[in-house]
Amino acid sequence: MARKRIGRSTLSFAGRPVIVATAAVAGPDEGKGPLGGEFDDVKKDRLLGNKSWEKAEAQLLTEVITIVMGKANLDQSQVDLLAAGDLLNQIISADFTAREFTIPFLGLFGACSTMAESLIVAAMAVDGGYADNVVAAASSHFDTAERQFRYPIEHGTQRHPTTQWTATGAGAALVSSMGRGPVITAATIGAVVDYNQKNINDMGAAMAPAAADTIARHLQGTGRRPEDYDLIVTGDLAAVGLPVAADMLKEQGLDLGARFGDCGLMLYDHEKQDVHAGGSGCACSALVFCAHIHRLLQRGQYRRVLLVGTGALFSPTSAQQGESIPGIAHAVEIEAGEVEAGEVKAGEVKAEEVKAGEVKAEEGNP
Amino acid sequence: MTKASKKEQQHFERLLRKHRPNPPVLRNTVTAFITGGTITALAQLVMNFFLARGVKPLEATAFTSAVMIFAGSFLTAIGVYDLIGRWGGMGAALPITGFANAVVSPALEYKREGYVLGLGAKMFVVAGPVIVFGVVTAFVVSLLRLLLWGVG
Amino acid sequence: MITVFWAFIVGGGLCVLAQLALDLGVGKVTPAHVLVGAVVVGAILSGLGLYSPLVALGGAGATIPILGFGHALVQGSLRDFTLRGWVGLLTGGFTATALGLSTVVILGFLAALLFNPKRKY
């Protein structure tokens, strides 16, 4: 009998795994976005002096893991597990990153939901007593994704307004059995949901039903209502998927209102940056969570957040063979730990400006 | 696995239609017209140059294509053609300069997988279908024309 | 200069048709599909004798868009047929387009030797 389950697919972490530190390393476009000042490092170009985009992505992931361990004052010998993934075939970015460390490694694939997936794996390992310190990480890179899923970089094609922009960067979170910081209290592992969407230029539509399904099941499992959360944030449904998911939840009597946001709509400046429907890729929710949301939880500005990682589980092969795009969503519930007085410095809250839902005005705007 | 039923799918499509932006057809049409028109007008200038020098029309056409291919390849190599394509859409893709772009861009991109299996094998990954369908259709069309209309 | 004007109109017009084919077939039609469709349409129109008048009017406006490639393939086959008989049907298409195809392969190879993909926007 699984003692730590509540409801059909929700997990409860009574052991209170703590996210003691997070780190985020962003690419140049992400650095120009509204969260630019919150990243640990912003790269000037996307190649980082490497010979290939793939090497650059692995470097981003390696750097971010090194930074997060440094922030937590941990040596790699003290980390029990690395749970990481990315978008590339056979998750090579994570594989080649793990090669740089001696940490036991679980490679994860959840498309853009990987950050949430890795947090769940980390929380389960810690809460189950299998690990004291786990690094959960994810990366993506515009050019590696573009050449794998779409066209060569120099190929001149127009992008559809529903197309999402793969974020360049990597995020990592250190989940520990002790220490101070936001606590992972519950999680819902998503089931694959398929509404027969076949347009690879509109992944938000393919993932929206999975997001709605997982959010509804998480609320049911935990017995909470939308009002219990300061933020319910998907990563990343973007401008098309978010309102669709909101509508689907409304039809089930769950009105999420303005607290429902999306990492893909928070990462870029939609006025100035031509990212179409919004950001995507593992790095999108990884960057927004690790750089922004975690900080606001640490400061106590958010008391409880539901991070819902969403993934479109297709490959170029499956799409060309006419298969529909299965969607998945994993929800992770994170609560602010005890907030230390003095940690919240007045005037330092510029990040507040990026409110969820605010960017909703984007929709329908070609 | 949860695969939605037909009814759920239909309902979902209705929701989608409400929120999914359409491509800006009018804007795309205008930019495609300007881009495509400009490229072909420039090509005509090149062609007139050859014709003025007494090159036969048939050869002038082929020379013009080669010059435009050079222009498209060069603009791709220096990283400009994809910007033209982003703005001009099919206006940049349909002219032969776009064909050059479709050949040169994978050649640049996949060089990292080696000269034989990367550059050589992937060069026609986008443009290959055009040649395949062009050659097959042309063969069938020519054959039919000769069989139906006879020689002449 | 009137030839340049008509090249602009005909070339631009063909691109507009291609753009409409792309935009009105959202999600199902990719640029690759449109280009393949264009070359097929060009070859068929050429076989029906409808493309040559367009070339007469638009000049480069009709030969430079990829439909002109289909046209060149068909006209090349028919021309070589008159010169060499049935074997010309197989040689003509490539003969007519050899200059362009060789140029693009050689330039593509050279470009890849000298340049790398760049990042922008």
Side-chain angles (χ1 to χ4, degrees):
Chain A
M1 185 63 207
R3 287 171 291 112
K4 297 182 179 183
R5 288 181 83 90
I6 46 175
R8 205 179 91 64
S9 45
T10 302
L11 323 176
S12 157
F13 302 115
R16 298 178 74 76
V18 184
I19 306 175
V20 292
T22 56
V25 176
D29 296 308
E30 294 66 26
K32 284 181 206 130
L35 307 182
E38 300 189 63
F39 301 123
D40 295 282
D41 192 7
V42 174
K43 299 296 180 189
K44 284 200 187 65
D45 75 283
R46 286 210 281 261
L47 206 50
L48 318 179
N50 287 292
K51 275 202 197 126
S52 71
W53 314 116
E54 285 77 8
K55 278 189 175 28
E57 184 177 343
Q59 188 186 330
L60 289 170
L61 193 54
T62 308
E63 284 184 16
V64 85
I65 292 169
T66 310
I67 294 173
V68 83
M69 291 192 300
K71 280 183 166 179
N73 288 319
L74 289 174
D75 182 73
Q76 58 170 314
S77 61
Q78 296 166 281
V79 177
D80 305 310
L81 175 66
L82 168 63
D86 60 275
L87 291 177
L88 304 184
N89 292 337
Q90 286 76 41
I91 52 168
I92 50 170
S93 307
D95 298 340
F96 286 92
T97 296
R99 188 173 68 177
E100 303 295 317
F101 300 97
T102 52
I103 312 169
F105 166 62
L106 278 179
L108 305 175
F109 182 80
C112 306
S113 72
T114 306
M115 191 67 219
E117 186 180 2
S118 66
L119 283 171
I120 295 176
V121 169
M124 289 198 296
V126 169
D127 193 43
Y130 296 104
D132 280 320
N133 297 302
V134 182
V135 171
S139 71
S140 63
H141 190 292
F142 177 82
D143 304 275
T144 61
E146 196 73 4
R147 80 203 293 264
Q148 175 172 314
F149 292 103
R150 295 196 181 99
Y151 292 102
I153 304 303
E154 298 294 347
H155 192 239
T157 48
Q158 229 162 20
R159 300 169 77 86
H160 282 286
T162 54
T163 311
Q164 289 174 241
W165 186 268
T166 308
T168 303
L174 215 144
V175 182
S176 288
S177 56
M178 53 201 127
R180 282 198 308 209
V183 176
I184 303 177
T185 49
T188 296
I189 298 177
V192 170
V193 178
D194 193 325
Y195 269 67
N196 204 31
Q197 293 299 301
K198 292 188 175 169
N199 185 357
I200 59 162
N201 289 315
D202 190 359
M203 292 187 293
M207 300 186 289
D213 181 62
T214 298
I215 292 170
R217 283 195 292 124
H218 184 83
L219 294 175
Q220 199 186 15
T222 54
R224 294 195 204 283
R225 289 163 306 151
E227 305 85 81
D228 296 330
Y229 297 88
D230 296 313
L231 177 70
I232 297 176
V233 64
T234 52
D236 4 76
L237 295 178
V240 182
L242 186 70
V244 172
D247 279 2
M248 293 181 86
L249 285 162
K250 247 180 227 159
E251 286 171 356
Q252 301 176 49
L254 296 166
D255 189 353
L256 270 48
R259 68 175 59 74
F260 194 30
D262 181 72
C263 297
L265 298 174
M266 296 160 82
L267 189 58
Y268 299 102
D269 181 339
H270 287 246
E271 296 283 308
K272 295 197 192 105
Q273 295 179 293
D274 189 16
V275 294
H276 307 274
S280 72
C282 306
C284 185
S285 56
L287 289 173
V288 173
F289 176 76
C290 293
H292 179 62
I293 297 172
H294 182 263
R295 180 159 307 165
L296 295 189
L297 280 162
Q298 258 179 335
R299 289 187 185 145
Q301 282 168 348
Y302 287 146
R303 297 300 305 167
R304 185 183 290 127
V305 169
L306 189 64
L307 172 70
V308 186
T310 59
L313 305 176
F314 75 101
S315 81
T317 308
S318 73
Q320 281 168 7
Q321 292 179 350
E323 272 285 355
S324 56
I325 304 169
I328 191 147
H330 302 299
V332 190
E333 184 177 304
I334 304 141
E335 288 180 13
E338 296 107 80
V339 182
E340 294 111 287
E343 254 191 21
V344 187
K345 288 185 195 123
E348 212 195 8
V349 286
K350 60 167 182 159
E352 266 279 67
E353 291 157 24
V354 200
K355 274 259 173 61
E358 197 180 82
V359 243
K360 271 194 172 175
E362 280 290 316
E363 74 199 47
N365 203 353
Chain B
M1 209 233 30
T2 325
K3 196 140 187 170
S5 70
K6 265 263 142 22
K7 214 173 139 207
E8 283 173 316
Q9 278 177 30
Q10 281 164 1
H11 178 68
F12 180 70
E13 291 295 335
R14 270 199 299 280
L15 279 183
L16 255 186
R17 269 197 292 279
K18 207 168 80 188
H19 296 293
R20 180 184 267 167
N22 288 314
V25 177
L26 189 65
R27 175 209 165 272
N28 286 354
T29 306
V30 172
T31 56
F33 186 72
I34 295 171
T35 311
T38 305
I39 292 170
T40 52
L42 287 173
Q44 186 64 46
L45 282 173
V46 173
M47 178 130 158
N48 289 351
F49 170 84
F50 284 124
L51 290 172
R53 262 153 197 72
V55 181
K56 283 190 215 115
L58 209 61
E59 274 160 15
T61 305
F63 288 174
T64 305
S65 295
V67 170
M68 294 315 282
I69 285 171
F70 178 80
S73 304
F74 184 71
L75 290 175
T76 304
I78 62 168
V80 172
Y81 206 84
D82 62 325
L83 301 178
I84 302 174
R86 260 166 84 88
W87 191 76
M90 291 310 294
L94 197 71
I96 203 155
T97 44
F99 184 75
N101 171 249
V103 174
V104 176
S105 60
L108 292 185
E109 184 66 48
Y110 296 107
K111 178 175 59 166
R112 285 166 187 152
E113 276 84 354
Y115 284 97
V116 175
L117 298 179
L119 193 169
K122 298 249 175 89
M123 193 184 230
F124 282 94
V125 71
V126 188
V130 172
I131 297 179
V132 171
F133 282 88
V135 168
V136 171
T137 315
F139 175 74
V140 174
V141 165
S142 311
L143 189 67
L144 283 177
R145 189 180 157 109
L146 290 172
L147 293 176
L148 297 177
W149 270 275
V151 186
Chain C
M1 270 305 121
I2 192 73
T3 53
V4 177
F5 170 77
W6 279 112
F8 186 91
I9 299 297
V10 171
L14 291 173
C15 291
V16 164
L17 293 178
Q19 184 71 44
L20 287 173
L22 183 68
D23 282 348
L24 300 180
V26 175
K28 295 172 191 77
V29 180
T30 69
H33 287 99
V34 177
L35 292 178
V36 165
V39 80
V40 168
V41 167
I44 293 173
L45 288 179
S46 181
L48 294 172
L50 298 174
Y51 206 80
S52 294
L54 197 65
V55 174
L57 173 70
T63 56
I64 289 297
I66 205 75
L67 291 88
F69 181 65
H71 173 65
L73 287 170
V74 170
Q75 294 307 315
S77 297
L78 296 175
R79 198 166 47 241
D80 262 24
F81 177 82
T82 57
L83 297 175
R84 310 177 58 179
W86 288 102
V87 72
L89 212 54
L90 291 170
T91 58
F94 279 110
T95 310
T97 54
L99 183 62
L101 287 177
S102 301
T103 311
V104 85
V105 170
I106 291 162
L107 287 178
F109 194 85
L110 281 179
L113 289 183
L114 299 173
F115 295 89
N116 284 314
K118 263 187 224 56
R119 228 14 292 146
K120 57 227 120 184
Y121 52 79

